[in-house]
Structures are given as C-alpha cells and as structure tokens.
C-alpha cells in the first residue's frame, strides 16, 4: 500500500475505533434509545467507508494503473472486483 | 431498546471491535497489501450492519409497532426515516 | 399501500424509467465512455432508492405502526426485515 | 467501453427495464402491497448493480490498467473515485 494511503487509513480507523468504543459504552446503559444507536452506527460505517475509499484509491494508483506495464491486468482486476463484492 | 436487542448488539459490536483492532495492526506493517485491507474492512462493515439490523428490529417491535396505540406515528416514522438516511 | 405513497412512487419510477431508457440509448453508441455510464447508473439507482424510501415510509405508517393494535407485530416486523435484506 | 462490456451491460439493462415496467404496472393497482413493491425494487436495484459491475470491470481493464503506460494515472483515478461516489 502506498505510504500516504496507509497513514491516511490509520488515521481514519483510529477515529472509527474511538467512535465504536463510544457506542459500546452507550449500549451499557439499559435505557439507551435505539435510534441514537442507529445514528452512531451509521457514522462509524461512514468512517469505515472513508478508510476503504483511501485504500481503494491507493490500490488503483499503485497496483491497478500499472497492471498493463506489468502484464497482469486480468488477475489484478479479478482480484479487485472480488474484493469489492466481499461481504 | 429491548434487552435482548441490546445484548445482541453488544455481542456483535464486541466482534466488530476486535476485528477493527486487527485491521489496525495489519496497517502497522508497511508492506500490507491494499486488497487484504479492503476485504477486512468489508467484513467489519458487515458486522456493523448486522448490529444495526438487530437494533432496527428491536426498534420496530418496541417503538414503531406501538406507535398508533401511543398516538405518535408521524413523529416516530419521521425519526426512523431520518436515522436510516443519516451518514 | 397508502394512496399518497403509491402516487409518489409512480412519479419517481416514471422518472427512473425515462432515465434508464436514456442509458440504454447511450449504450447503443460503440464509443460510449464507461465512466459516463457509471454516473448515469448511479443516478437511476438513486431514483429507485427514492421510490423505495417513499414506499417504506408508507408501509411504516400504514402497516407497521398499527401492528400492536392488530396483534401481528412479530409477523409484520419479520416480513419487513426480510424485505430490506432481499437482493 | 470494451465491446463485450457494452453488450453485457445492454443485456442486463434490458432485463432491469422489463422488471421496472412490471413494477410500474403493479403500482397501477390501488391494493398493491408495500412489501411486494419493496422486494421488486430491490431486485431491480440488484440488476442495475450488476450492470454497473460489468461496466466497472470493463473500465478497469481498458482504461485504468493502462493508465501508467499512457501517463494519466492521477486523472483516471480521480475520475473513477468521483464516479463511484456520485449519487
């Protein structure tokens, strides 16, 4: 992974991690309200999507854009299409 | 939040939390491969979606299905539709 | 389905339908550019998501919020959770 | 767009188009059930996602994998990242 992408992904995951722990603390309260938890979960999912975007961009630049030069276009595209569907 | 939903959500978030920390450790390695990180991020996003599903189901049963009896259908539906779009 | 939801959903689907046909015409051109098609597909997906939102809101108001009064909360919530995951 | 991608995308959009028209006919019935419409909308969204996948794969192979050879990596990656977020 390009160094800049790795650093940006780490920063975003550190934020998602803190946010996730705050939701875990919310859920220790028996009177927590469902909709408040749903909103916070959406926010963490957004942070993870942001991290994934950073990683995808780095991958496209460093590994996909160079595939023809290396001669492994088919493998690299199959691998990425598979990863994007993975759930 | 219904007690069973709260417990189920906590279990799922504990799993997502451990998984997220393992991605953070992966990202300490300068040679980590982008696609491996993308796949793991997808898995954590799936775990969070599972937690959100548990919370949504509890909310529908405990608060939305009872809205007409309480007389606040419009407010409760607006609130939920807003939360589902929140990003 | 509530009458207002049905009318609003029809309007949104009519727009999505026209938009989809315009993408089909774009694809008759052998020189069409991939990214232009991707953007237009995203727009149609957004229109369909808008139609689904209208239908979901009508369903919550007309059928889910009244479930406790009718006594079928469990069935109605199961049915909706299943439909939201359906792909 | 690669010819094979264009043909595959056209086939998938023809299916989505027929499916969308059948939902429009469903919505002419005042007694249509919300959840039936939600399920059919999900199915059309799946078909459009399949078409987008075909187009994305063609784009990665034909235009992104060749970017370094052409010398426009930065532009091509920015353009794709933008298109993937477009809503």
């Amino acid at each position: 992974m390009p160094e800049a992408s790795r650093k940006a992904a780490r920063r975003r995951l550190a934020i998602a991690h803190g946010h996730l722990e705050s939701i875990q603390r919310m859920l220790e309260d028996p009177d927590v309200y469902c909709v408040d938890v749903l909103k916070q979960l959406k926010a963490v999912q957004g942070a993870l999507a942001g991290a994934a975007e950073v990683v995808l961009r780095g991958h496209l630049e460093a590994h996909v854009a160079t595939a023809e030069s290396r001669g492994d276009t088919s493998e690299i595209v199959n691998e990425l299409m598979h990863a994007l569907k993975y759930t």
Side-chain angles (χ1 to χ4, degrees), chain A:
Chain A
M1 191 182 306
E3 194 60 15
S5 308
R6 195 169 66 90
K7 285 189 173 159
R10 288 179 77 175
R11 274 196 303 275
R12 283 165 184 259
L13 289 192
I15 292 167
H17 181 258
H19 206 142
L20 179 54
E21 291 187 338
S22 79
I23 305 177
Q24 290 181 291
R25 283 190 297 274
M26 281 174 76
L27 281 167
E28 290 169 12
D29 175 3
D31 296 326
V32 65
Y33 184 46
C34 309
V35 173
D36 294 336
V37 176
L38 281 178
K39 284 181 183 175
Q40 296 305 315
L41 284 172
K42 281 272 185 185
V44 176
Q45 287 175 304
L48 291 179
E53 186 189 320
V54 161
V55 175
L56 175 60
R57 175 184 284 272
H59 182 58
L60 291 171
E61 289 174 351
H63 303 124
V64 184
T66 51
E68 195 196 49
S69 314
R70 274 195 318 277
D72 62 2
T73 295
S74 182
E75 294 86 337
I76 208 95
V77 171
N78 279 339
E79 180 189 58
L80 178 56
M81 293 305 294
H82 181 72
L84 292 177
K85 283 201 288 189
Y86 207 99
T87 46

